[in-house]
Amino acid sequence: MGHMDHFSAGWVTPVLSYAMACVGSALGLRCTLRALEADGASKRNWLLMASVAIGSGIWTMHFIAMMGFSVDGTPIRYDIPLTVLSLLMSVAVVGAGVFTAGYGRSAVRAVALGGIGTGLGVAAMHYTGMAALNLHGEVGYDPTLVIASVIIAIVAATAALTLTLIVRGPVLAAAAALVMGLAVSTMHYTGMYAVKIDLAPSSAALSGATSTEFIFPLAVVLGSFLFLTSAYVALSPTGKREESAAAAQLLREVELSTA
C-alpha cells in the first residue's frame, strides 16, 4: 500500500481550501436568500448564480486541497475531461438542491430536500474528481468512511440551509457559510482518509496533467469569479431596499402632483 500524505504542502492547502469553500458557500447561500425575495426570471437567475457559486466553490476547495496530496512511489496526474466533468456535475447536482430549496412551498420540506441535493452534489464532485486521478496503482475506498463522508455533507448542508432560509439574520448567515465550508472540508478529508492505494511501480509515463498545469490555473479563475461575484452581490440592493426605494419614489411623485 502506498503511503499517502494529505498535507505535503503544509497547512497552506487546507486553510486556503477551507476559505474558498466558505466564500463559495456564503455567496451561494446569499443568492439563495435573494432568490426568495424575487420572482420570475430574477428568481431563476439568483438560483443559477447560487448553483454556480456553491458548485465552483466546493470544486475549488477540493482541488486546492488535492494540491497537498501526494503518494510515495508514484507521480499523480489528472484526467482533464473527468476533472471538468466533476465541476459540471458539482454545479448541476448542487443546482438541483438549490432550486428545490428556492421553489419549495414548504420551508421544512424545501430545506430537507435541498440539503440532500446539495450534500449529494458535494459528494458527487469529490468522488468524480477522485476518479480523475491517474497514478501507478489502484485506488480503493473504505466503504464505511465513504458513507460517513456523504452523511457529513448532507447533514451539514441541511444545517446551512436551515440557518439561511428559516432562521435569518446576518450573524446566522455568516455562521451558515462557516458551517457549509466546514462541511465541505470535513467531507473531503473524511473521503480522503477512506482512500487505499495499491501501488504498481512502473516507469511508464502517466496520461493527464499535473495540478500546476491545469488545476491551479482553473482554481485561480474560479476563485477570482467567486470574489468578484461576492462583491457584486454585496453591493447590489436587496429586495427590501428596492421596495423601499420604489415606495419613496412613488411618494415623491404623489407629493409633486399635489403641490
Side-chain angles (χ1 to χ4, degrees):
M1 182 179 294
H3 174 71
M4 295 172 286
D5 186 352
H6 300 282
F7 307 101
S8 61
W11 288 98
V12 173
T13 49
V15 171
L16 183 57
S17 63
Y18 174 67
M20 293 308 304
C22 288
V23 170
S25 299
L27 177 58
L29 293 172
R30 179 61 178 167
C31 289
T32 303
L33 186 58
R34 295 288 293 273
L36 298 181
E37 302 172 349
D39 294 305
S42 179
K43 185 184 189 75
R44 179 201 62 208
N45 292 338
W46 279 117
L47 291 174
L48 284 173
M49 188 179 294
S51 304
V52 174
I54 297 176
S56 60
I58 62 178
W59 185 95
T60 305
M61 176 274 148
H62 172 83
F63 282 104
I64 287 178
M66 289 301 292
M67 293 182 72
F69 177 70
S70 65
V71 182
D72 290 346
T74 178
I76 295 176
R77 299 290 183 270
Y78 294 89
D79 181 281
I80 293 178
L82 271 178
T83 302
V84 174
L85 176 62
S86 69
L87 172 59
L88 298 178
M89 182 178 293
S90 173
V91 173
V93 181
V94 167
V98 167
F99 271 79
T100 299
Y103 282 100
R105 295 182 179 179
S106 166
V108 174
R109 184 179 180 184
V111 166
L113 294 178
I116 292 172
T118 304
L120 290 177
V122 175
M125 181 283 307
H126 176 87
Y127 290 106
T128 304
M130 290 300 294
L133 245 64
N134 287 331
L135 45 76
H136 294 310
E138 294 293 330
V139 179
Y141 297 93
D142 180 325
T144 302
L145 287 175
V146 169
I147 293 172
S149 69
V150 176
I151 292 174
I152 288 170
I154 291 174
V155 171
T158 303
L161 284 175
T162 300
L163 291 174
T164 302
L165 304 183
I166 296 181
V167 187
R168 303 186 187 183
V171 175
L172 291 178
L178 295 176
V179 167
M180 188 69 177
L182 183 62
V184 175
S185 296
T186 304
M187 182 273 157
H188 172 83
Y189 285 107
T190 302
M192 292 307 297
Y193 279 111
V195 173
K196 299 177 180 179
I197 296 178
D198 293 323
L199 286 179
S202 173
S203 58
L206 291 169
S207 61
T210 66
S211 59
T212 54
E213 289 173 342
F214 174 67
I215 293 173
F216 181 71
L218 186 54
V220 170
V221 170
L222 291 176
S224 300
F225 161 77
L226 290 174
F227 280 108
L228 291 174
T229 308
S230 297
Y232 166 76
V233 173
L235 294 174
S236 62
T238 64
K240 292 181 179 179
R241 289 180 181 175
E242 291 172 342
E243 291 175 1
S244 297
Q249 178 63 26
L250 179 60
L251 180 60
R252 284 194 296 271
E253 291 176 356
V254 171
E255 290 174 346
L256 289 174
S257 63
T258 57

